[in-house]
Amino acid sequence: MKLIRDLFKDYRFAVAFGIVCLILLLAILSAFSPYDPRNAYQTPRGLPPSWQHPLGTTWLGQDVFWQLTFAVRNSLTIAIIASIISRLIAIIVGVLAGYKGGIVDRVLMSIGDSTLTLPIFVVLVLVSLVLRQWVRQLVNLGLLLAFFAWAWDARVIRSQVLSLREREFTFTSVLSGMGSFKLIFKQYLPFLLPVVFTTLINNMSWAIGMEMTLSYLGLGIDPSIPTLGTMIQMAIYRQAIFLGLWWWILSPIAASVLLFVALYWISLSLSEYLDPRARMQRIGGKQ
Amino acid sequence: MKENGVVLKAEHLKAFYVLRSFGRQVLVKAVNDVNLEIHKGKVFGIAGESGCGKSTLLKGLFAAIVPPLRLFGGRVLYRIEGQDVEVLSLSPEAKRQIKWKFISYVPQGSMSVLNPIAKIKRTFRDVLESHDRNVEEALEMAKKHLTELGLPSKVLHCYPHQLSGGMRQRVTIALATLLQPDVILADEPTTALDVVTQRSVIQLLKDIQEKWGNTLVLVTHDMGVHANMADRIAIMYAGSIVEEATTQEIFGNPCHPYTRYLINSLPRFGEKSMRESVPGNPPSLSALPDGCPFHPRCPHVLRVCREQVPNLINIGNDHKVACWLIGGEHNG
Amino acid sequence: MDKTLEVKNLTKIFSVGSIFSRTKITAVDNVSFHIRPAEIFALAGESGCGKTTTAKIILGFEEPTSGEILFKGKPIWTWRRKPRQYMKDVQAVFQNPFETFNPLKTVDEFFYETVRNYGIAEHKNDVEAVIRARLEAVGLSFEEIRGRYPSEFSGGQLQRASIARALLTNPCLLVADEPVSMVDASLRMSIVNLFKKLKDEFGLSVLYITHDLATAYYVSDRIAIMLRGNIIEMGPVDLVLTKPRHPYTRLLRESVPEPDPQKKWVQKITVTTTEHEEYLRKGCKFAGRCPMATNRCKTEVPKECFLEDGVMVKCHLYEQEDVMQAEIIGSQQASKKR
């Protein structure tokens, strides 16, 4: 598609895309893992990287490479759930608040602002302690993170909608007989999507980061489920550095750093490309 | 430039916009070989449709040729204190010295030039400070200047949004003339204003000219404004000047078919007879036709019009036209 | 007499300012006028005089504070119970053609939307035929419009497209809010001639809102001059613009720059400083700038005086000539005699 071709002209997007593909490949490979990720002592312990075990093995007798594939898959799952659900909530709330205005706007924004003022960390810790069993599931953590992530963007979307509502083509749409729903969907969405997409990707980074932090503290996900966070936590808990098993701790760290950089670059190049003013310049150049 | 009284001159000025469109380079020929001589103390009007290049020409005259606009030939000369200065080759520092003192520029939509979150007096102060005046002096100068122009000095203490559109425009003009420049370039100063406000802006420009005897170059598509203000008018079409003469000549004896259309398309009170606009659309400046740029829309087009660009020749009475229909014998 | 649109005592008050200082601006003050079928009615005045607000109220985008608007004899609020029915008959064209269309979407989208939403045609070929016909009526071709974005057109072309879109539903009233202000002076004729043609061929009525008196003179049948929310003069356009009575109309008329170097402006004028200054005046709103203002003008609001030749003026100067007043006095005297 022309869109993809244009994006690839930006070197940052090209490189980042490559990294993301690599990571996705890892995630897909997890389906072919010969080892069950939850079981320990399936391989000799503490082996350095070799042909048989490309990233070595852990002190608990697990193959680091195959662990990583699961870790990547699970972390991405949490991130995707958290970001997509929070985007959906943000769009619905933002559009309702901006378009309807009045009391609907006030109520929705108050709710949103309340979630913004909550100390995320404290709440997450509390929930992890109180609802220990519930939070251990991947999906639930995703939902919990989504709860904190929608308010900011809802406000951004709301202000966009407010300004779009005053523009003349809104009147033209009404005069053309378009109902509110169609108006928002067809006319406003092209303006709103750029914001949504870039924050989606930023949100994914944030979600992965939060998960890693929680796991590092021993809260959140069940430590036997491999995620980037739990892998690091396990490695540190089991004195990987002390024991000289650098491959065990370096692999998840390297993977997450690569992932963060890639996501950042994608969101950067996407937002530059989708900026409405830049789009209009490109449209004009068609002559 | 030995002639008396020529204060600003453009010679074979060519300035094009260089745009990249999907990997290809596109040249928008906004100013295509323009020659102009502007005399001291007069009002020179430049008229033409939107997109004919007149704003770009003004930018060129102000030596503000910045990317994506690039100079492709020609020069612009200012006569400063008896010396001819070729402006386009000066360093930015040297240009800065000249700007605002010798020549100033009132841009299109100049109402938005004012800082919306600062009171007017701060904007005035900023301009004066950057030309080495201190703060107290600056405020005094600003007050005096406004009073001289008949504007209430209380506007200094207002924010731009508190003023009416017309007042904002006049304040911007006052700002541009703060240091009493010799030449003022005004780009569409009356567009988007209603008739009464328009009249007050023009009145102000006239007052300034009468008081300080400066030169005014006025760009607008409104021929009525030119009739009221200009001493000499140049009609621009698709990047070139097609006719240039005194105001009386242009309105009394328009020669170029485009000029005739322009004048006849304007409604007049007392006449409800059918009037026509210029038919068709102006050419894209990046894809100019061969020969005379007006020939696709011209009702009297000849074969030579399609092939060769006519030169701007003097047909007497200081009236210049670029058309094969007129002065054919001069062109051979 | 048949009236397409009748506006009666329309008033709209806005409250502006911050929490600490709110001022009430009467944007539209007791405005009354009517438009007949196949008539071009001009509503003229400076910017900020309330004409756009009036248009928005007529179109239903704003609610009036008080007053009534009748469309084809019935009040607007009954029409707007079925908004599509109303909008089919009353369409609009706006000032900025580049804002009228969504810059990120193609121009023809609105055409398709209008045709489909109002049930004008169903089958793809019929839809195209209708659109093509309307575009031809304004001097554009379907091929020119298809698949192109607003930024690829010139202002004049786009404005004509906007008019074509408004005509798709065969409206009987077109509200045109400053349709030519953003178009080059030399191209205004092509747009304005369109209105004339549509009036003559299709019986369209147009509410032509403008500050350009020259085009108003050229194209309209009747005209009303607005000043800060009040209609201060109204009548047949020939009379009002060639023999202006109200001092403000005279000012407007003289301020139109004539394309004739022999007719230059001689007098100097004064201009308001701030936006709200004139709105908050007691008495006649023009008293601050009027060359003939008296003390009475500054305190007492003039009432409507109906003159012999059909012109209405709101000015103390013409009280003696008011025919309605004369009638009232006449009948009072007649009843006294009995």
Side-chain angles (χ1 to χ4, degrees):
Chain A
M1 230 177 36
K2 201 179 71 72
L3 175 85
I4 305 287
R5 253 190 297 137
D6 279 341
L7 281 172
F8 267 104
K9 290 187 189 150
D10 188 349
Y11 77 91
R12 293 172 304 190
F13 186 80
V15 170
F17 195 72
I19 297 178
V20 169
C21 284
L22 212 71
I23 303 234
L24 279 177
L25 191 66
L26 277 180
I28 296 174
L29 276 177
S30 66
F32 303 103
S33 166
Y35 307 103
D36 185 339
R38 307 185 71 139
N39 289 345
Y41 305 112
Q42 298 182 337
T43 63
R45 308 204 290 183
L47 290 181
S50 61
W51 276 118
Q52 212 186 7
H53 302 285
L55 290 173
T57 63
T58 73
W59 197 244
L60 296 173
Q62 294 161 313
D63 184 313
V64 173
F65 177 74
W66 294 108
Q67 279 279 298
L68 196 63
T69 60
F70 278 99
V72 164
R73 189 188 87 173
N74 292 328
S75 286
L76 279 179
T77 313
I78 298 177
I80 289 174
I81 292 177
S83 43
I84 288 188
I85 293 187
S86 63
R87 286 321 96 203
L88 283 175
I89 301 178
I91 292 179
I92 295 175
V93 169
V95 164
L96 266 178
Y99 199 69
K100 291 276 176 199
I103 205 152
V104 172
D105 179 15
R106 293 240 199 103
V107 167
L108 287 173
M109 283 300 113
S110 308
I111 299 178
D113 293 342
S114 313
T115 62
L116 282 177
T117 51
L118 287 172
I120 299 185
F121 224 63
V122 174
V123 173
L124 282 174
V125 167
L126 278 175
V127 173
S128 308
L129 289 175
V130 170
L131 295 170
R132 193 149 248 193
Q133 291 305 106
W134 180 81
V135 149
R136 284 176 154 222
Q137 306 296 332
L138 281 181
V139 173
N140 294 335
L141 185 61
L143 288 175
L144 192 59
L145 290 173
F147 172 74
F148 286 102
W150 64 265
W152 191 254
D153 288 325
R155 211 164 248 287
V156 172
I157 291 175
R158 166 187 174 270
S159 56
Q160 270 270 30
V161 171
L162 278 178
S163 80
L164 285 173
R165 218 171 46 146
E166 299 304 316
R167 290 180 76 167
E168 261 169 29
F169 64 80
T170 304
F171 295 128
T172 315
S173 308
V174 173
L175 287 168
S176 300
M178 291 175 90
S180 310
F181 211 61
K182 234 186 184 181
L183 169 67
I184 294 168
F185 215 71
K186 283 193 158 184
Q187 303 293 329
Y188 289 175
L189 228 47
F191 287 92
L192 299 175
L193 280 180
V195 175
V196 171
F197 263 116
T198 41
T199 54
L200 179 95
I201 298 191
N202 286 332
N203 217 248
M204 282 176 66
S205 306
W206 174 81
I208 298 177
M210 284 311 276
E211 184 273 312
M212 285 171 71
T213 318
L214 280 177
S215 301
Y216 180 74
L217 295 175
L219 307 159
I221 304 282
D222 181 352
S224 63
I225 302 178
T227 66
L228 290 172
T230 55
M231 270 189 87
I232 296 179
Q233 193 260 350
M234 267 299 179
I236 294 182
Y237 186 59
R238 299 284 173 168
Q239 316 285 33
I241 305 175
F242 206 52
L243 291 170
L245 304 175
W246 53 269
W247 52 90
W248 187 12
I249 192 164
L250 210 58
S251 312
I253 290 182
S256 33
V257 168
L258 277 176
L259 190 56
F260 282 128
V261 171
L263 288 176
Y264 178 67
W265 267 357
I266 289 182
S267 95
L268 209 65
S269 47
L270 249 186
S271 73
E272 276 178 21
Y273 187 75
L274 290 175
D275 174 23
R277 265 168 287 192
R279 276 160 104 182
M280 293 206 281
Q281 276 179 353
R282 273 199 302 277
I283 289 172
K286 267 195 196 149
Q287 281 169 312
Chain B
M1 231 154 78
K2 298 295 195 304
E3 307 92 348
N4 240 347
V6 176
V7 69
L8 173 59
K9 195 171 177 183
E11 283 176 2
H12 297 290
L13 188 61
K14 283 199 181 92
F16 305 158
Y17 288 100
V18 182
L19 301 175
R20 293 210 84 87
S21 166
F22 297 109
R24 277 177 324 147
Q25 201 186 64
V26 169
L27 287 179
V28 177
K29 299 189 181 171
V31 178
N32 202 358
D33 200 0
V34 166
N35 295 290
L36 279 182
E37 270 177 18
I38 296 170
H39 293 260
K40 193 171 161 64
K42 301 276 190 210
V43 178
F44 191 89
I46 302 178
E49 285 169 292
S50 298
C52 70
K54 37 191 212 297
S55 295
T56 315
L57 176 58
L58 215 59
K59 280 192 199 147
L61 293 177
F62 192 54
I65 298 190
V66 285
L69 185 62
R70 279 221 312 247
L71 185 65
F72 274 71
R75 37 188 216 152
V76 172
L77 299 153
Y78 295 167
R79 191 171 195 99
I80 307 177
E81 282 157 17
Q83 299 277 29
D84 291 342
V85 180
E86 211 209 291
V87 209
L88 295 175
S89 51
L90 288 181
S91 68
E93 184 52 41
K95 276 192 211 173
R96 203 174 72 80
Q97 295 292 334
I98 300 180
K99 286 184 187 180
W100 239 256
K101 277 198 285 204
F102 173 74
I103 184 168
S104 82
Y105 178 67
V106 182
Q108 195 167 19
S110 52
M111 293 184 271
S112 24
V113 150
L114 299 171
N115 187 345
I117 56 169
K119 291 197 179 164
I120 305 282
K121 64 178 174 189
R122 210 180 91 186
T123 315
F124 270 76
R125 209 186 63 199
D126 289 343
V127 169
L128 288 169
E129 276 181 355
S130 68
H131 285 268
D132 313 318
R133 304 272 200 279
N134 63 43
V135 181
E136 300 92 39
E137 252 191 62
L139 207 50
E140 273 314 301
M141 269 191 77
K143 268 204 203 133
K144 205 168 82 122
H145 187 75
L146 285 173
T147 330
E148 269 196 57
L149 295 179
L151 301 172
S153 59
K154 69 175 184 193
V155 299
L156 283 173
H157 304 289
C158 294
Y159 286 97
H161 62 82
Q162 293 174 307
L163 303 175
S164 65
M167 187 52 85
R168 274 203 296 270
Q169 181 73 303
R170 291 152 88 218
V171 164
T172 318
I173 293 177
L175 194 59
T177 56
L178 210 45
L179 297 165
Q180 292 178 22
D182 294 330
V183 182
I184 301 175
L185 306 174
D187 191 356
E188 305 266 15
T190 57
T191 313
L193 295 175
D194 59 70
V195 280
V196 180
T197 319
Q198 185 175 276
R199 185 173 164 185
S200 66
V201 167
I202 294 190
Q203 200 173 277
L204 180 64
L205 287 170
K206 264 195 181 160
D207 286 346
I208 292 177
Q209 217 233 339
E210 275 166 30
K211 247 193 209 323
W212 290 315
N214 51 31
T215 314
L216 177 64
V217 180
L218 182 63
V219 164
T220 174
H221 60 75
D222 193 341
M223 293 302 282
V225 171
H226 284 302
N228 248 289
M229 279 287 294
D231 297 311
R232 222 181 142 69
I233 303 178
I235 311 279
M236 199 161 169
Y237 185 79
S240 320
I241 307 270
V242 297
E243 190 160 359
E244 190 196 319
T246 60
T247 313
Q248 302 287 7
E249 276 288 304
I250 292 271
F251 283 96
N253 181 24
C255 297
H256 197 284
Y258 178 61
T259 316
R260 290 223 197 99
Y261 260 124
L262 262 189
I263 293 175
N264 289 331
S265 69
L266 302 171
R268 281 165 221 245
F269 285 107
E271 283 179 45
K272 270 205 161 198
S273 55
M274 189 70 161
R275 299 192 158 259
E276 285 290 332
S277 283
V278 194
N281 293 306
S284 160
L285 291 174
S286 53
L288 289 170
D290 290 325
C292 174
F294 188 61
H295 85 249
R297 296 162 92 183
C298 188
H300 314 292
V301 57
L302 306 167
R303 213 192 74 177
V304 63
C305 302
R306 289 187 235 266
E307 291 161 13
Q308 286 184 51
V309 182
N311 293 317
L312 193 64
I313 49 166
N314 203 323
I315 58 166
N317 233 350
D318 219 1
H319 188 147
K320 299 187 187 137
V321 193
C323 183
W324 290 118
L325 294 168
I326 299 138
E329 57 279 16
H330 295 259
N331 268 307
Chain C
M1 182 192 10
D2 218 17
K3 290 180 192 168
T4 304
L5 184 77
E6 194 174 351
V7 176
K8 284 182 175 172
N9 305 106
L10 187 66
T11 305
K12 175 77 187 173
I13 302 180
F14 284 112
S15 195
V16 290
S18 58
I19 303 181
F20 300 110
S21 63
R22 294 205 80 93
T23 32
K24 287 205 189 307
I25 302 272
T26 312
V28 181
D29 193 358
N30 211 0
V31 160
S32 302
F33 63 89
H34 65 267
I35 304 181
R36 301 189 202 112
E39 177 182 55
I40 299 184
F41 184 87
L43 193 56
E46 285 172 90
S47 49
C49 68
K51 38 193 213 293
T52 305
T53 314
T54 312
K56 282 198 174 150
I57 297 176
I58 293 176
L59 288 170
F61 293 136
E62 290 264 9
E63 289 296 323
T65 311
S66 69
E68 212 185 3
I69 302 183
L70 299 170
F71 180 66
K72 287 190 182 168
K74 290 196 295 188
I76 286 202
W77 58 266
T78 59
W79 284 97
R80 292 197 61 75
R81 280 209 200 112
K82 293 192 191 156
R84 290 251 176 96
Q85 192 55 35
Y86 185 65
M87 287 194 285
K88 213 177 183 183
D89 277 330
V90 180
Q91 279 283 338
V93 177
F94 300 104
Q95 182 178 22
N96 188 347
F98 291 101
E99 274 292 307
T100 308
F101 293 98
N102 189 337
L104 295 178
K105 300 219 141 223
T106 55
V107 168
D108 46 12
E109 249 199 62
F110 276 124
F111 283 84
Y112 287 114
E113 282 290 336
T114 311
V115 172
R116 294 222 179 89
N117 291 329
Y118 287 99
I120 299 170
E122 291 289 330
H123 198 65
K124 186 170 171 249
N125 288 338
D126 298 331
V127 170
E128 242 192 64
V130 171
I131 297 178
R132 201 182 277 274
R134 288 289 169 264
L135 285 171
E136 270 173 30
V138 303
L140 292 169
S141 73
F142 191 52
E143 282 66 40
E144 275 180 85
I145 305 284
R146 200 206 305 255
R148 290 174 74 174
Y149 291 87
S151 50
E152 298 180 57
F153 294 96
S154 71
Q157 279 177 305
L158 208 54
Q159 193 66 299
R160 278 189 272 162
S162 174
I163 296 174
R165 189 215 61 81
L167 294 176
L168 282 171
T169 61
N170 264 328
C172 51
L173 176 66
L174 183 68
V175 176
D177 189 357
E178 308 242 25
V180 290
S181 339
M182 290 221 168
V183 175
D184 276 351
S186 50
L187 298 174
R188 288 179 188 172
M189 277 304 119
S190 62
I191 310 261
V192 151
N193 277 333
L194 251 183
F195 289 140
K196 249 194 181 172
K197 181 177 120 168
L198 294 167
K199 176 192 88 164
D200 292 332
E201 282 180 35
F202 300 106
L204 180 69
S205 296
V206 180
L207 175 60
Y208 180 60
I209 299 177
T210 180
H211 62 74
D212 176 7
L213 288 184
T215 48
Y217 178 79
Y218 177 70
V219 78
S220 42
D221 303 306
R222 286 163 54 236
I223 184 168
I225 312 275
M226 266 184 102
L227 170 68
R228 306 291 179 215
N230 299 292
I231 292 189
I232 47 99
E233 190 163 350
M234 178 160 65
V237 76
D238 261 312
L239 289 174
V240 172
L241 288 184
T242 48
K243 241 180 72 180
R245 307 305 142 113
H246 197 287
Y248 179 63
T249 316
R250 290 215 191 106
L251 172 66
L252 268 190
R253 163 75 187 79
E254 280 163 27
S255 302
V256 177
E258 295 246 29
D260 188 346
Q262 312 299 339
K263 300 186 184 162
K264 293 197 190 183
W265 293 318
V266 182
Q267 280 171 320
K268 304 221 169 174
I269 57 172
T270 50
V271 173
T272 52
T273 307
T274 56
E275 278 288 352
H276 302 328
E277 230 180 79
E278 271 192 346
Y279 266 109
L280 300 174
R281 260 179 201 287
K282 301 200 190 335
C284 178
K285 299 276 190 283
F286 191 52
R289 294 191 268 162
C290 183
M292 313 215 253
T294 61
N295 274 328
R296 186 178 173 211
C297 300
K298 296 191 179 147
T299 49
E300 207 182 304
V301 177
K303 55 182 180 6
E304 295 175 3
C305 311
F306 293 88
L307 305 180
E308 261 180 351
D309 47 12
V311 173
M312 185 283 282
V313 191
K314 220 174 178 183
C315 183
H316 290 302
L317 293 170
Y318 295 94
E319 271 182 343
Q320 310 303 324
E321 299 175 35
D322 186 0
V323 289
M324 308 271 271
Q325 189 75 326
E327 272 177 28
I328 295 173
I329 296 177
S331 60
Q332 281 176 345
Q333 288 181 332
S335 60
K336 267 195 201 156
K337 278 187 187 158
R338 280 194 215 116

